[in-house]
Amino acid sequence: MPAQSSATLPSVSVVIATRGRPELLRSAVRAALGQEYAGEIEVIVVFDQVAIDPLEDVVVPAGPRALRTMSNDRTPGLAGGRNTGILAAGGELTSFCDDDDEWLPTKLIRQVQAWREDPAAVLVATGIRIVTPGRTVDRLPPERTEFAALLASRITEIHPSSFLLRRADLLGRIGLVDEVLPTSYGEDYDLLLRATRVGHILGIREPLVIIHWNRASFFSGKWQGIADGLSYLLDKHPEFAGSAAGSARIEGQIAFALAALGQLAGARSWAGRAIRHDRSQLRAYAAMAIAARLVPAGPLVNAVNRRGRGL
C-alpha cells in the first residue's frame, strides 16, 4: 500500500472475546496493536464470565492505537462477547481475533488495500497458518466466495480471526452475531452465510493469521452444544434443503456428536439422513459404527478432539 496518512485510512476496531487464556491473550493483543497499518486501531478485549484483566503489562505503541477492556454485558458466551465489542466499537471497520490466535504485521494493510480494489466485497478474509506441535500448515481461502459455496462447504480456510467487516453492515444489513444460537457453536459460519446473502467474500491468499491448535477448543467434548448448534443452523437456513452436500456435512456432524454422547438412536437417525444425502459422508459412517457398537466411541472422539477447532 502506498504511504498514506492515518486520516485517509479507515479506523479499525479489533474485538477479542476472551475467557481464561491470559498469556495467549496478551500475544493476540500485542499482535493487533503492532500492526504496520497507519490508520487508527483500537483493540477491545471483552472478558466473558470472568473478571476483567486490565492488561496493564501490555504496552500500547505510540500513534493512533488504543486498548480497551470490558465485561460481556450481553448473553454469556462468544456471540454475546463479540456483540459487546461490536456495539462499543468506534472504528469504521470491525475485525475479530480469537484470544489464542495472532495476526502477522501486514494483515490489515493487505486487507484494506484489497478491499479498495474490490469495494463490492462484504467481508475480507486472509489465509491462515495453523501451528500445532511439530507441524505448521498454511490454508488459503478462495479469492471469491459466495452463498452457494458456503452452503456446500464451511470452507474452514475462512477463519473468524481473519474477518474484516464494515461496522455499519454488522449493525444493519448483515446483523450482529446470533446470540440465540446454542452455545454459540457455528456463530462464525452463520455470520458468513448471512454476509454472503448481501455480497461476496474477498479472500487474500496469504497466511496472515497464526492459528494455534496446540490447545483444545472450548467446544472439544461439549457434544450436546455442538449437536444443538448445528441443528439450529439447519433450521435457520432453509436453503440447506437444496444442498445435498451441505446438508449431509452438518447431519454427519450432528450424528457424530450424538454418538459421542451415547445417544445411539439419535445418532443412527441423523447418520441415515446424512448418508441419504451424500454416501461419502465419513462422519455419518463413524457415528453408525459407534451406534452399532462396532468400535468404541473413545478413540474416534479423541481423534476428532485432536484436530482442534472444527468438528
Side-chain angles (χ1 to χ4, degrees):
M1 175 180 288
Q4 294 172 292
S5 72
S6 60
T8 67
L9 294 169
S11 55
V12 180
S13 298
V14 186
V15 176
I16 304 177
T18 188
R19 184 172 78 241
R21 289 171 169 168
E23 294 306 318
L24 292 167
L25 170 64
R26 282 161 167 76
S27 295
V29 170
R30 291 182 179 116
L33 290 170
Q35 289 290 292
E36 295 177 4
Y37 184 68
E40 294 183 17
I41 299 175
E42 65 168 355
V43 176
I44 301 174
V45 182
V46 182
F47 290 87
D48 177 45
Q49 304 171 70
V50 293
I52 291 177
D53 178 344
L55 302 175
E56 293 174 341
D57 56 329
V58 174
V59 176
V60 178
R65 299 289 185 268
L67 172 61
R68 300 166 61 190
T69 58
M70 62 190 64
S71 291
N72 176 11
D73 60 7
R74 296 175 65 87
T75 307
L78 182 57
R82 284 184 171 159
N83 284 341
T84 294
I86 292 166
L87 293 170
E92 180 183 346
L93 305 180
T94 300
S95 56
F96 302 144
C97 185
D98 288 350
D99 62 0
D100 54 345
D101 297 334
E102 295 176 61
W103 291 357
L104 295 182
T106 59
K107 174 186 179 287
L108 288 179
I109 288 177
R110 291 288 295 113
Q111 286 182 296
V112 171
Q113 178 186 47
W115 214 343
R116 287 183 164 176
E117 297 169 358
D118 185 5
V122 71
L123 183 153
V124 183
T126 77
I128 58 176
R129 176 161 292 159
I130 299 170
V131 177
T132 60
R135 189 180 183 207
T136 298
V137 177
D138 290 349
R139 293 185 181 174
L140 307 180
E143 291 182 0
R144 183 184 178 102
T145 302
E146 298 182 340
F147 183 73
L150 278 168
L151 277 180
S153 171
R154 166 59 183 86
I155 311 181
T156 54
E157 293 84 358
I158 304 175
H159 190 280
S161 287
S162 79
F163 290 6
L164 185 67
L165 306 99
R166 299 178 181 92
R167 182 171 181 266
D169 284 341
L170 289 167
L171 300 180
R173 59 180 182 163
I174 296 175
L176 293 170
V177 183
D178 188 346
E179 296 182 35
V180 178
L181 203 163
T183 70
S184 294
Y185 187 80
E187 45 74 38
D188 55 329
Y189 183 36
D190 172 67
L191 187 65
L192 290 175
L193 288 169
R194 288 187 283 124
T196 50
R197 291 182 189 276
V198 299
H200 65 276
I201 295 171
L202 174 62
I204 298 174
R205 295 182 58 79
E206 299 174 35
L208 297 174
V209 178
I210 298 173
I211 308 298
H212 294 287
W213 276 8
N214 57 326
R215 288 175 59 93
S217 163
F218 280 129
F219 292 109
S220 294
K222 297 185 178 180
W223 298 106
Q224 189 64 58
I226 291 171
D228 292 345
L230 292 172
S231 298
Y232 174 91
L233 287 179
L234 281 179
D235 290 338
K236 180 175 180 178
H237 298 282
E239 295 90 346
F240 276 113
S243 173
S247 295
R249 174 174 49 84
I250 293 182
E251 290 160 350
Q253 290 174 306
I254 295 170
F256 191 93
L258 294 177
L261 287 165
Q263 297 180 23
L264 304 186
R268 285 191 293 268
S269 176
W270 280 101
R273 290 175 58 174
I275 292 168
R276 285 193 293 274
H277 281 127
D278 179 3
R279 291 182 179 275
S280 67
Q281 181 47 245
L282 295 179
R283 293 182 189 86
Y285 291 108
M288 290 284 260
I290 294 171
R293 296 184 172 84
L294 297 176
V295 296
L300 286 176
V301 169
N302 290 338
V304 170
N305 278 339
R306 283 195 298 271
R307 292 179 61 194
R309 286 161 287 188
L311 172 61

